[in-house]
Amino acid sequence: STQSGHYRRVVARVLVPRILVTRVLATRVLVTRVLVTRVLVTRVLVTRVLVTRILVTRVLVTRILVTRILVTRVLVTRILVTRVLVTRILVTRVLVTRVLVTRVLVPRDLIPRDLVPTATLR
């Protein structure tokens, strides 16, 4: 029984503190792992948010650029159509004036000067 009492005292003096220290250290390791995991998860989430913002910004910029291109095309088309119409009006004026002058349907004095080409006035 003396040996078992001695054994208990050794366990109480040596092993119990070691077990307690081991538990404390294991708890610290687990807490550290949890904290590191939280930091990593937070970084991943922040990175996702930033990447999403970048992608959304790219989409919006692309839409703006496409809209500008389309608006520019519409404006250029309108300008070209207007030029064609103005050219047709001018050509029609010249043709009408030539017909009037060549057929002599109206005396030259009655034709407005701005309708008569300068070459025919000489």
Side-chain angles (χ1 to χ4, degrees):
S1 120
T2 311
Q3 282 184 344
S4 65
H6 177 70
Y7 180 73
R8 285 184 190 165
R9 277 184 253 128
V10 169
V11 167
R13 285 185 196 158
V14 178
L15 291 180
V16 169
R18 284 188 184 176
I19 291 170
L20 291 176
V21 167
T22 304
R23 282 186 181 172
V24 168
L25 292 177
T27 304
R28 284 185 182 174
V29 167
L30 290 175
V31 168
T32 304
R33 283 184 181 174
V34 167
L35 292 176
V36 167
T37 303
R38 281 186 181 174
V39 167
L40 291 175
V41 167
T42 304
R43 283 184 180 174
V44 167
L45 293 176
V46 167
T47 304
R48 280 186 180 175
V49 167
L50 291 175
V51 167
T52 303
R53 283 184 180 175
I54 290 171
L55 292 176
V56 166
T57 304
R58 280 185 178 177
V59 167
L60 291 176
V61 167
T62 303
R63 283 184 180 176
I64 289 171
L65 291 175
V66 166
T67 303
R68 283 185 178 177
I69 289 171
L70 292 176
V71 166
T72 304
R73 281 184 179 177
V74 167
L75 291 175
V76 167
T77 303
R78 284 183 178 176
I79 290 170
L80 293 175
V81 167
T82 304
R83 280 185 175 178
V84 167
L85 292 175
V86 167
T87 304
R88 283 184 180 175
I89 290 170
L90 293 174
V91 166
T92 304
R93 252 184 153 182
V94 169
L95 291 175
V96 166
T97 304
R98 283 186 182 171
V99 167
L100 290 175
V101 169
T102 51
R103 291 190 180 177
V104 193
L105 294 175
V106 181
R108 282 189 181 195
D109 298 339
L110 297 177
I111 300 175
R113 290 188 77 70
D114 63 332
L115 290 179
V116 180
T118 53
T120 57
L121 291 176
R122 293 180 189 159

PDB file of all heavy atoms in Angstrom, residues 35-48:
ATOM      1  N   LEU A  35      -9.303  30.874 -34.865  1.00  0.00           N
ATOM      2  CA  LEU A  35      -9.059  32.268 -35.233  1.00  0.00           C
ATOM      3  C   LEU A  35      -8.434  32.372 -36.626  1.00  0.00           C
ATOM      4  O   LEU A  35      -8.834  33.223 -37.439  1.00  0.00           O
ATOM      5  CB  LEU A  35      -8.163  32.944 -34.189  1.00  0.00           C
ATOM      6  CG  LEU A  35      -8.805  33.137 -32.814  1.00  0.00           C
ATOM      7  CD1 LEU A  35      -7.801  33.724 -31.830  1.00  0.00           C
ATOM      8  CD2 LEU A  35     -10.030  34.031 -32.903  1.00  0.00           C
ATOM      9  N   VAL A  36      -7.473  31.520 -36.914  1.00  0.00           N
ATOM     10  CA  VAL A  36      -6.841  31.515 -38.236  1.00  0.00           C
ATOM     11  C   VAL A  36      -7.877  31.177 -39.307  1.00  0.00           C
ATOM     12  O   VAL A  36      -7.935  31.810 -40.368  1.00  0.00           O
ATOM     13  CB  VAL A  36      -5.650  30.527 -38.279  1.00  0.00           C
ATOM     14  CG1 VAL A  36      -5.201  30.283 -39.708  1.00  0.00           C
ATOM     15  CG2 VAL A  36      -4.494  31.054 -37.436  1.00  0.00           C
ATOM     16  N   THR A  37      -8.732  30.211 -39.011  1.00  0.00           N
ATOM     17  CA  THR A  37      -9.774  29.842 -39.964  1.00  0.00           C
ATOM     18  C   THR A  37     -10.716  31.018 -40.212  1.00  0.00           C
ATOM     19  O   THR A  37     -11.089  31.301 -41.351  1.00  0.00           O
ATOM     20  CB  THR A  37     -10.572  28.629 -39.449  1.00  0.00           C
ATOM     21  OG1 THR A  37      -9.665  27.555 -39.219  1.00  0.00           O
ATOM     22  CG2 THR A  37     -11.616  28.181 -40.455  1.00  0.00           C
ATOM     23  N   ARG A  38     -11.080  31.727 -39.141  1.00  0.00           N
ATOM     24  CA  ARG A  38     -11.947  32.902 -39.296  1.00  0.00           C
ATOM     25  C   ARG A  38     -11.290  33.958 -40.181  1.00  0.00           C
ATOM     26  O   ARG A  38     -11.926  34.540 -41.052  1.00  0.00           O
ATOM     27  CB  ARG A  38     -12.263  33.516 -37.928  1.00  0.00           C
ATOM     28  CG  ARG A  38     -13.333  32.786 -37.170  1.00  0.00           C
ATOM     29  CD  ARG A  38     -13.679  33.539 -35.907  1.00  0.00           C
ATOM     30  NE  ARG A  38     -14.688  32.857 -35.127  1.00  0.00           N
ATOM     31  CZ  ARG A  38     -15.087  33.236 -33.926  1.00  0.00           C
ATOM     32  NH1 ARG A  38     -14.552  34.308 -33.373  1.00  0.00           N
ATOM     33  NH2 ARG A  38     -16.015  32.567 -33.292  1.00  0.00           N
ATOM     34  N   VAL A  39     -10.005  34.202 -39.927  1.00  0.00           N
ATOM     35  CA  VAL A  39      -9.278  35.195 -40.736  1.00  0.00           C
ATOM     36  C   VAL A  39      -9.267  34.770 -42.198  1.00  0.00           C
ATOM     37  O   VAL A  39      -9.527  35.585 -43.099  1.00  0.00           O
ATOM     38  CB  VAL A  39      -7.834  35.378 -40.207  1.00  0.00           C
ATOM     39  CG1 VAL A  39      -6.981  36.150 -41.198  1.00  0.00           C
ATOM     40  CG2 VAL A  39      -7.856  36.083 -38.869  1.00  0.00           C
ATOM     41  N   LEU A  40      -8.993  33.498 -42.444  1.00  0.00           N
ATOM     42  CA  LEU A  40      -8.943  33.015 -43.830  1.00  0.00           C
ATOM     43  C   LEU A  40     -10.316  33.113 -44.505  1.00  0.00           C
ATOM     44  O   LEU A  40     -10.426  33.537 -45.657  1.00  0.00           O
ATOM     45  CB  LEU A  40      -8.431  31.571 -43.869  1.00  0.00           C
ATOM     46  CG  LEU A  40      -6.950  31.400 -43.498  1.00  0.00           C
ATOM     47  CD1 LEU A  40      -6.585  29.923 -43.463  1.00  0.00           C
ATOM     48  CD2 LEU A  40      -6.049  32.141 -44.457  1.00  0.00           C
ATOM     49  N   VAL A  41     -11.355  32.727 -43.784  1.00  0.00           N
ATOM     50  CA  VAL A  41     -12.714  32.819 -44.333  1.00  0.00           C
ATOM     51  C   VAL A  41     -13.057  34.273 -44.635  1.00  0.00           C
ATOM     52  O   VAL A  41     -13.616  34.593 -45.683  1.00  0.00           O
ATOM     53  CB  VAL A  41     -13.735  32.191 -43.363  1.00  0.00           C
ATOM     54  CG1 VAL A  41     -15.157  32.555 -43.752  1.00  0.00           C
ATOM     55  CG2 VAL A  41     -13.575  30.674 -43.343  1.00  0.00           C
ATOM     56  N   THR A  42     -12.697  35.183 -43.705  1.00  0.00           N
ATOM     57  CA  THR A  42     -12.956  36.612 -43.928  1.00  0.00           C
ATOM     58  C   THR A  42     -12.224  37.099 -45.171  1.00  0.00           C
ATOM     59  O   THR A  42     -12.786  37.833 -45.987  1.00  0.00           O
ATOM     60  CB  THR A  42     -12.512  37.431 -42.697  1.00  0.00           C
ATOM     61  OG1 THR A  42     -13.190  36.923 -41.551  1.00  0.00           O
ATOM     62  CG2 THR A  42     -12.825  38.899 -42.865  1.00  0.00           C
ATOM     63  N   ARG A  43     -10.967  36.692 -45.326  1.00  0.00           N
ATOM     64  CA  ARG A  43     -10.200  37.088 -46.524  1.00  0.00           C
ATOM     65  C   ARG A  43     -10.872  36.579 -47.799  1.00  0.00           C
ATOM     66  O   ARG A  43     -10.954  37.303 -48.795  1.00  0.00           O
ATOM     67  CB  ARG A  43      -8.767  36.553 -46.441  1.00  0.00           C
ATOM     68  CG  ARG A  43      -7.892  37.340 -45.507  1.00  0.00           C
ATOM     69  CD  ARG A  43      -6.479  36.824 -45.560  1.00  0.00           C
ATOM     70  NE  ARG A  43      -5.597  37.556 -44.663  1.00  0.00           N
ATOM     71  CZ  ARG A  43      -4.342  37.241 -44.436  1.00  0.00           C
ATOM     72  NH1 ARG A  43      -3.814  36.200 -45.035  1.00  0.00           N
ATOM     73  NH2 ARG A  43      -3.610  37.971 -43.610  1.00  0.00           N
ATOM     74  N   VAL A  44     -11.313  35.331 -47.769  1.00  0.00           N
ATOM     75  CA  VAL A  44     -11.984  34.763 -48.947  1.00  0.00           C
ATOM     76  C   VAL A  44     -13.247  35.556 -49.273  1.00  0.00           C
ATOM     77  O   VAL A  44     -13.504  35.912 -50.423  1.00  0.00           O
ATOM     78  CB  VAL A  44     -12.324  33.268 -48.723  1.00  0.00           C
ATOM     79  CG1 VAL A  44     -13.270  32.759 -49.781  1.00  0.00           C
ATOM     80  CG2 VAL A  44     -11.046  32.438 -48.704  1.00  0.00           C
ATOM     81  N   LEU A  45     -14.031  35.880 -48.246  1.00  0.00           N
ATOM     82  CA  LEU A  45     -15.275  36.633 -48.471  1.00  0.00           C
ATOM     83  C   LEU A  45     -14.984  38.032 -48.991  1.00  0.00           C
ATOM     84  O   LEU A  45     -15.645  38.513 -49.932  1.00  0.00           O
ATOM     85  CB  LEU A  45     -16.089  36.698 -47.177  1.00  0.00           C
ATOM     86  CG  LEU A  45     -16.660  35.352 -46.697  1.00  0.00           C
ATOM     87  CD1 LEU A  45     -17.363  35.521 -45.355  1.00  0.00           C
ATOM     88  CD2 LEU A  45     -17.622  34.767 -47.709  1.00  0.00           C
ATOM     89  N   VAL A  46     -13.984  38.693 -48.409  1.00  0.00           N
ATOM     90  CA  VAL A  46     -13.612  40.031 -48.877  1.00  0.00           C
ATOM     91  C   VAL A  46     -13.135  39.966 -50.324  1.00  0.00           C
ATOM     92  O   VAL A  46     -13.505  40.804 -51.154  1.00  0.00           O
ATOM     93  CB  VAL A  46     -12.526  40.642 -47.956  1.00  0.00           C
ATOM     94  CG1 VAL A  46     -11.897  41.867 -48.591  1.00  0.00           C
ATOM     95  CG2 VAL A  46     -13.113  40.988 -46.605  1.00  0.00           C
ATOM     96  N   THR A  47     -12.332  38.962 -50.637  1.00  0.00           N
ATOM     97  CA  THR A  47     -11.854  38.794 -52.019  1.00  0.00           C
ATOM     98  C   THR A  47     -13.027  38.572 -52.965  1.00  0.00           C
ATOM     99  O   THR A  47     -13.063  39.155 -54.057  1.00  0.00           O
ATOM    100  CB  THR A  47     -10.880  37.598 -52.100  1.00  0.00           C
ATOM    101  OG1 THR A  47      -9.815  37.815 -51.175  1.00  0.00           O
ATOM    102  CG2 THR A  47     -10.316  37.454 -53.498  1.00  0.00           C
ATOM    103  N   ARG A  48     -13.994  37.769 -52.568  1.00  0.00           N
ATOM    104  CA  ARG A  48     -15.181  37.549 -53.409  1.00  0.00           C
ATOM    105  C   ARG A  48     -15.930  38.848 -53.656  1.00  0.00           C
ATOM    106  O   ARG A  48     -16.355  39.132 -54.777  1.00  0.00           O
ATOM    107  CB  ARG A  48     -16.126  36.539 -52.748  1.00  0.00           C
ATOM    108  CG  ARG A  48     -15.726  35.114 -52.936  1.00  0.00           C
ATOM    109  CD  ARG A  48     -16.792  34.192 -52.370  1.00  0.00           C
ATOM    110  NE  ARG A  48     -16.445  32.796 -52.536  1.00  0.00           N
ATOM    111  CZ  ARG A  48     -17.145  31.802 -52.065  1.00  0.00           C
ATOM    112  NH1 ARG A  48     -18.246  32.033 -51.381  1.00  0.00           N
ATOM    113  NH2 ARG A  48     -16.773  30.551 -52.265  1.00  0.00           N
TER     114      ARG A  48
END
